[in-house]
Amino acid sequence: MKTSNNWYRTTILSMVLLTTGVAYAQQPALQHFRPNNKAGLNVFEPSKQDTVEFDRVRVRIGGDFAMQFQSINQTNSLDSLVDLGTNFNLPTANLNIDVQLYDGLRMHLRTYLSSKNHQEAWVKGGYLQIDKLDFIKPGFLQGFMDVARITIGLDEFNYGDAHFRRSDNARAIFNPFVGNYIMDAFSTEAFGELTIMKNGFLGVIGITNGKLNQNVVVNDNSDNKASFFGKLGYDNKLSDDFRLRLTSSWYINKGTTTGTWIYGGDRAGSRYYNVMETLDGDGGPFEGRFNPRFRELTAIQINPFIKYKGLEFFGIYEVASNSDDQGGGAFTQLAGELLYRFGSTEQFYLGGRYNTVSGEMVESALTQEINRLNIGGGWYMTKNVMAKLEYVNQKYEGEGWTGTKYNGGEFDGINIEAVISF
C-alpha cells in the first residue's frame, strides 16, 4: 500500500509540475544559466557572456519527471539473486527553483520530490552563483569578475565533466542512456569554488568539507579534513562544425572519516532497480555502481569531448587511489561514449557507451573488474520531452569477487525511459 500511495503522490506532484510549466510557459531569462531542456545539451560550465539584462528579482520554477520501463535479467555463480520481472519503476520527480537575486547574483535550489532511495521529498542542495560584485559597489572588481565566477553552497561541486551529463534523479534529459557511470563522481557537500574562464581556457579551484551528511558531533574516531579539488581545461569551437573540449580534474582528501563520498554521494540511488539484490535481502538502492570508499582518497579524471557536426564523443580516464597508510589500493575507470545526432534539430540520436572499472581494494589484493555496455538511442519530441531506449549488459569479473554475490555476476536487458524537464 505504501508503494501505491507513493506512486499516486508522485504522479500528482508531477502533474503539478507540468501545470506549473504551462503557467510559466514564458519562463524568465536568467543570467549565466544552463537551460533545463534540450538547449542545455553539452553545456558544461555556463558561459560568462553577459546576455541578459537585470531589471528586477526574477523567479524561475521548473521541474523534472522521469519514469522507466525495465526488463532486466540477472544471474551469479551462487544462484542467489532475486528474479527480476518486466514492469514500470516508481516515477521520480524534481522541483527546481532558480532566482535572479541581483545583477550577477543567482540562486539555485533543487528538491527531490521522489527518488529510488527516498520516496519522500527532501532537498538535494543549492548554491549561490556570483558573476558580478555590483551588490558591493557598481563595477567593483569588474575586470576580474568579467572572467571569474564564485560559487558557494551545499550542492554538487565541479569535479570532472561526467556530472554534467549524468542523470540527477529525474533530470535525465542530458543523459543519452539510462544509467550513470559505474564510478559515479557526484557528491553534495558544503563547498566553495572559484572558476576562471577566458578565451576558451578554464580553471577551477575549490574546497569542500568532505562530508555528505552534515554533523558537528565529533568522537574519538573523528578525523575530519577538508577536500580540495580543481580543474584545468580548454573548450572552444574551432569552426562552425567542430568543437573540442579537454579537461583534467583532481580531488584529494586525507581525512579518514571524510572524503569517502565522491563515488557514493548520489542519495537518490542508482538507475537500475533491484539489480544484484539477493534472495536474503542483501542489496540496496545503490547497486549497479561502485564506490571503493577509500579512506584517504586521491582522484584524477581526464575528459575529452569532441563534436563534429552530428558526431559526438565523450570519454573518461579516471584513477582513484588510497594512501599507503590505509593499505594502498587503486581503481581505474575508462569510458567512451560515441553518439550520432541527426534530424533537422538533431532531435534523434543513436550510440553506444562502454564503461569499465578495475583495480584492487588494497595493495596486492585480487583484481576486481566491472564492465558495462550500453547501446541505444533517443528522440527529443520537443525541447522539454524526450524518450530513450537502451540495452545494458554489466558483468563482474576478476578473482577479487570470489565468494561474494558478485562472483560471476551479470545483468542485462532493456530499459525505456520517458523524461520531461522544463
Side-chain angles (χ1 to χ4, degrees):
M1 181 61 70
K2 180 180 180 181
T3 300
S4 178
N5 289 339
N6 284 328
W7 190 92
Y8 285 117
R9 185 182 64 186
T10 305
T11 302
I12 292 171
L13 288 169
S14 301
M15 291 174 65
V16 172
L17 283 176
L18 290 174
T19 304
T20 305
V22 173
Y24 283 80
Q26 297 298 322
Q27 293 270 38
L30 304 181
Q31 296 175 330
H32 315 290
F33 177 74
R34 181 188 191 185
N36 196 42
N37 54 38
K38 183 176 178 288
L41 272 179
N42 298 329
V43 174
F44 296 86
E45 296 82 9
S47 171
K48 279 294 296 180
Q49 279 191 299
D50 193 1
T51 59
V52 177
E53 183 179 355
F54 175 80
D55 57 357
R56 59 185 172 85
V57 173
R58 293 189 178 273
V59 180
R60 183 188 189 281
I61 299 178
D64 307 280
F65 175 72
M67 183 168 64
Q68 307 89 29
F69 180 81
Q70 178 175 298
S71 179
I72 286 179
N73 299 306
Q74 60 181 352
T75 184
N76 67 1
S77 298
L78 302 176
D79 196 24
S80 62
L81 301 179
V82 297
D83 186 24
L84 298 178
T86 297
N87 217 318
F88 288 95
N89 293 322
L90 180 72
T92 54
N94 297 348
L95 173 65
N96 307 315
I97 300 176
D98 293 276
V99 184
Q100 193 73 52
L101 298 167
Y102 198 77
D103 193 11
L105 190 66
R106 183 170 64 80
M107 184 208 78
H108 167 77
L109 176 70
R110 173 163 293 157
T111 299
Y112 293 162
L113 298 177
S114 179
S115 66
K116 178 183 177 183
N117 185 41
H118 286 270
Q119 279 103 52
E120 75 279 9
W122 54 284
V123 176
K124 170 221 171 180
Y127 59 82
L128 186 69
Q129 180 177 302
I130 305 170
D131 285 279
K132 297 180 183 179
L133 295 174
D134 288 13
F135 58 90
I136 299 176
K137 179 183 176 182
F140 186 73
L141 293 181
Q142 181 177 340
F144 176 67
M145 295 306 295
D146 282 345
V147 298
R149 170 176 297 145
I150 302 168
T151 311
I152 303 169
L154 201 161
D155 204 271
E156 64 185 274
F157 51 92
N158 193 5
Y159 164 77
D161 283 352
H163 72 102
F164 291 110
R165 299 172 66 88
R166 69 186 298 280
S167 296
D168 185 11
N169 194 39
R171 193 212 63 188
I173 200 161
F174 303 136
N175 188 347
F177 301 99
V178 175
N180 295 322
Y181 291 93
I182 297 171
M183 285 207 317
D184 187 15
F186 172 90
S187 184
T188 53
E189 302 171 9
F191 79 99
E193 66 185 37
L194 172 66
T195 303
I196 304 292
M197 291 183 284
K198 185 175 182 180
N199 298 330
F201 291 96
L202 165 73
V204 178
I205 189 75
I207 184 172
T208 89
N209 70 342
K211 301 178 71 171
L212 180 70
N213 299 311
Q214 305 306 314
N215 194 322
V216 298
V217 176
V218 297
N219 55 47
D220 292 341
N221 297 319
S222 295
D223 182 26
N224 298 337
K225 289 185 173 65
S227 298
F228 298 92
F229 65 95
K231 179 185 290 189
L232 292 173
Y234 179 76
D235 185 353
N236 206 357
K237 290 192 71 173
L238 303 183
S239 71
D240 290 340
D241 295 326
F242 184 63
R243 177 183 174 188
L244 171 66
R245 177 182 171 98
L246 179 64
T247 66
S248 176
S249 303
W250 56 270
Y251 174 94
I252 184 169
N253 186 288
K254 295 299 183 181
T256 57
T257 56
T258 52
T260 62
W261 299 107
I262 185 66
Y263 303 110
D266 180 16
R267 290 180 288 187
S270 60
R271 302 300 289 177
Y272 301 116
Y273 283 57
N274 300 106
V275 297
M276 306 312 296
E277 181 179 319
T278 65
L279 294 167
D280 60 5
D282 180 16
F286 308 106
E287 292 287 0
R289 65 189 185 197
F290 179 72
N291 179 11
R293 291 192 179 277
F294 289 146
R295 301 193 70 188
E296 292 186 359
L297 174 68
T298 299
I300 62 166
Q301 185 179 127
I302 297 174
N303 302 112
F305 173 74
I306 299 171
K307 184 170 174 60
Y308 178 69
K309 295 185 177 180
L311 194 64
E312 183 178 304
F313 174 81
F314 178 77
I316 297 177
Y317 171 77
E318 186 167 26
V319 176
S321 59
N322 205 5
S323 70
D324 291 339
D325 292 341
Q326 297 296 321
F331 282 86
T332 299
Q333 174 167 236
L334 299 173
E337 185 176 287
L338 186 64
L339 304 173
Y340 182 67
R341 301 186 187 273
F342 58 99
S344 58
T345 60
E346 294 190 353
Q347 69 269 34
F348 305 105
Y349 67 87
L350 295 170
R353 175 199 290 167
Y354 185 72
N355 186 190
T356 181
V357 171
S358 63
E360 300 79 34
M361 290 300 298
V362 296
E363 189 175 357
S364 302
L366 297 174
T367 298
Q368 297 173 323
E369 185 174 338
I370 308 173
N371 299 306
R372 181 192 293 168
L373 173 68
N374 300 88
I375 300 174
W379 173 28
Y380 287 87
M381 292 175 275
T382 74
K383 68 178 183 179
N384 301 102
V385 182
M386 74 174 298
K388 46 186 157 177
L389 167 69
E390 72 159 27
Y391 166 78
V392 59
N393 177 268
Q394 181 162 315
K395 296 181 179 180
Y396 295 79
E397 300 177 315
E399 295 181 355
W401 302 116
T402 301
T404 72
K405 67 177 181 179
Y406 303 106
N407 185 25
E410 178 180 1
F411 63 84
D412 74 302
I414 299 294
N415 274 285
I416 302 172
E417 185 169 51
V419 181
I420 301 170
S421 288
F422 57 91

